[in-house]
């Protein structure tokens, strides 16, 4: 039998069949032990083959179909290992807000880097529009322009006033969408507005830290009654890139890559090289200053990781 993984909780996997029926499956031992570059062999969005077992709608997963794409993050416990977040996506949404909690452009750029290796279309959704004052709106315009110039779509919404929710719904229709973003930005609230029957738990923001509580622990896929599915992810706090080379990073900051084709030196990394088209574009405001700075920060991190790996002979 064949189905799609809708939920993973440690050793159990929820598999949904074409007719909507859900089965509880385990993974065949061999599949789990098979050398895998990731800490988990299967993720939400994977298509799997399974054999029914004794018991009510229980099965054993025998194999995973090739993935059209996937997103990973570093394992929280093992620095050099990757953890599969989701597979076979049509698009990804990163939900942000200008305040409560404050926007972190570094996180946006890191998330865009994780989806760029497979060129998964990624949309930046600015939530909580209802609490933006005129200064926030001015800053929002700048940020929006910067990302649109880089080639990304953006959307301004509010789960509170329902502003922009028709557009969001249209965006989700008939597609498999990964929804990500820091905890507290309003992911679950937005999903609840669009599909009230899901009634996902939403967290109150503590005034103390301005950080949301972690109310979602596992990535989970939900079907939308108007067509399509979404994957709600636990608040991803940090994204690091031990798996990438400096060239990968240069390749996957999409506008830097495009502009970089005009650099004098073909192997220009846009750091200190002369006649660098990227640096010129940053000076002219065609590439966002924060985009460029975050690019440099990530290159530094990778140089440091490579240094450690060499020291330890990995
Ligand atoms: N003012 C305002 N608050 C919102 C909005 N959306 C969500 N919130 C609040 O933000 C907090 C975190 O929301 P939640 O949906 O749990 O965020 P998640 O961690 O990203 O799933 C909750 O207290 C929500 O009531 C919005 O559009 N406007
Ligand atoms: Mg949530
Ligand atoms: Zn350059």
């Amino acid at each position: 039998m064949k189905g799609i993984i809708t939920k993973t909780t440690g050793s159990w996997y929820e598999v949904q069949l074409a007719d909507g029926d859900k089965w509880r499956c385990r993974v065949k031992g061999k599949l789990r032990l098979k050398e895998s570059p990731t800490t988990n062999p299967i993720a939400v969005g994977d298509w799997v083959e399974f054999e029914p077992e004794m018991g009510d709608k229980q099965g054993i997963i025998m194999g995973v179909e090739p993935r059209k794409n996937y997103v990973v993050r570093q394992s929280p416990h093992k620095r050099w290992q990757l953890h599969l977040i989701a597979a076979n996506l049509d698009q990804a949404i990163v939900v942000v807000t200008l305040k409560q909690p404050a926007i972190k452009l570094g996180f946006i750029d890191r998330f865009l880097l994780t989806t760029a290796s497979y060129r998964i279309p990624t949309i930046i959704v600015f939530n909580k529009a209802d609490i933006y004052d005129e200064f926030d709106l001015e800053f929002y315009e700048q940020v929006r322009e910067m990302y649109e110039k880089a080639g990304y779509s953006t959307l301004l919404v509010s789960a509170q006033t329902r502003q922009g929710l028709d557009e969001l719904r249209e965006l989700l229709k008939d597609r498999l969408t990964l929804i990500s973003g820091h905890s507290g930005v309003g992911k679950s609230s937005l999903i609840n507005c669009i599909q009230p029957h899901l009634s996902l738990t939403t967290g109150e923001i503590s005034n103390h830290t301005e950080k949301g509580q972690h109310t979602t622990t596992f990535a989970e896929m939900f079907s939308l009654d108007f067509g399509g599915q979404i994957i709600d992810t636990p608040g991803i706090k940090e994204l690091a890139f031990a798996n990438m080379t400096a060239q990968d990073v240069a390749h996957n900051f999409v506008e830097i890559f495009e502009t970089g084709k005009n650099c004098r030196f073909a192997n220009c990394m846009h750091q200190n090289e002369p006649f660098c088209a990227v640096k010129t574009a940053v000076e002219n405001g065609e590439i966002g200053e924060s985009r460029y700075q975050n690019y440099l920060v990530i290159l530094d991190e990778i140089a440091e990781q490579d240094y450690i790996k060499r020291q330890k002979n990995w």
Side-chain angles (χ1 to χ4, degrees):
M1 297 168 85
K2 206 180 125 175
I4 189 167
I5 302 283
T6 50
K7 195 178 181 179
T8 70
T9 53
S11 49
W12 286 96
Y13 298 82
E14 191 180 79
V15 182
Q16 188 174 349
L17 307 189
D19 62 9
D21 236 17
K22 284 182 176 172
W23 287 57
R24 222 166 99 89
C25 294
R26 292 183 293 127
V27 175
K28 202 181 162 201
K30 219 171 104 198
L31 185 69
R32 201 169 42 217
L33 292 175
K34 207 172 68 181
E35 198 169 310
S36 162
T38 57
T39 50
N40 51 338
I42 298 176
V44 172
D46 265 327
W47 286 92
V48 296
E49 187 72 46
F50 70 93
E51 281 176 7
E53 250 193 327
M54 294 286 282
D56 191 27
K57 289 185 186 172
Q58 288 194 15
I60 299 191
I61 297 172
M62 310 302 287
V64 188
E65 306 235 321
R67 301 174 175 116
K68 82 169 174 186
N69 61 41
Y70 54 85
V71 288
V72 291
R73 65 176 163 83
Q74 251 166 266
S75 159
H77 311 296
K78 299 177 192 137
R79 191 168 172 201
W80 311 105
Q81 281 228 300
L82 298 176
H83 183 85
L84 272 176
I85 301 174
N88 301 316
L89 304 167
D90 293 318
Q91 61 185 3
I93 283 180
V94 54
V95 181
V96 303
T97 166
L98 284 196
K99 51 191 196 193
Q100 294 179 24
I103 193 164
K104 298 198 181 50
L105 298 177
F107 179 79
I108 300 179
D109 292 335
R110 283 165 184 272
F111 186 76
L112 296 178
L113 182 55
T114 65
T115 55
S117 19
Y118 279 99
R119 297 293 186 266
I120 298 168
T122 306
I123 303 107
I124 305 164
V125 171
F126 295 83
N127 187 32
K128 310 202 185 187
D130 57 292
I131 55 169
Y132 297 180
D133 62 25
E134 58 179 304
F135 299 105
D136 297 325
L137 281 171
E138 210 168 285
F139 184 56
Y140 156 75
E141 277 303 330
Q142 288 172 20
V143 176
R144 184 185 66 82
E145 199 187 321
M146 172 169 75
Y147 286 106
E148 290 196 345
K149 271 186 185 163
Y152 291 99
S153 322
T154 65
L155 190 60
L156 180 62
V157 302
S158 164
Q160 187 85 37
T161 63
R162 305 189 68 91
Q163 174 185 345
L165 294 194
D166 289 344
E167 288 91 332
L168 182 58
R169 196 182 150 100
E170 202 48 45
L171 207 64
L172 298 175
K173 192 171 155 35
D174 298 333
R175 299 190 178 111
L176 174 54
T177 308
L178 176 75
I179 300 186
S180 192
H182 273 140
S183 155
V185 294
K187 297 180 294 298
S188 302
S189 303
L190 287 170
I191 294 170
N192 284 344
C193 281
I194 289 173
Q195 292 282 277
H197 66 271
L198 291 176
S199 54
L200 302 183
T201 325
T202 60
E204 290 302 316
I205 290 175
S206 104
N207 290 327
H208 238 53
T209 57
E210 279 221 339
K211 278 192 181 130
Q213 296 162 355
H214 298 272
T215 39
T216 320
T217 35
F218 293 104
E220 187 168 1
M221 184 190 296
F222 301 100
S223 293
L224 303 168
D225 58 12
F226 51 89
Q229 294 111 335
I230 46 172
I231 298 173
D232 185 23
T233 55
I236 297 171
K237 273 193 296 191
E238 269 177 56
L239 291 166
F241 305 97
N243 54 320
M244 285 192 186
T245 64
Q247 279 72 24
D248 292 332
V249 178
H251 209 95
N252 292 323
F253 267 77
V254 284
E255 80 279 37
I256 289 181
F257 177 66
E258 278 309 312
T259 305
K261 290 175 180 168
N262 301 320
C263 295
R264 172 73 63 89
F265 301 108
N267 59 354
C268 186
M269 292 301 287
H270 329 302
Q271 289 170 298
N272 297 305
E273 298 91 333
F275 310 110
C276 172
V278 170
K279 267 195 287 190
T280 308
V282 174
E283 280 155 23
N284 297 341
E286 287 154 30
I287 290 178
E289 177 73 37
S290 61
R291 286 280 290 167
Y292 180 59
Q293 290 305 328
N294 288 329
Y295 164 79
L296 294 178
V297 166
I298 295 170
L299 280 190
D300 278 350
E301 287 173 13
I302 286 181
E304 192 195 316
Q305 285 170 352
D306 287 348
Y307 176 77
I308 295 171
K309 279 189 202 168
R310 271 200 307 277
Q311 294 278 302
K312 300 199 173 186
N313 258 329
W314 280 345

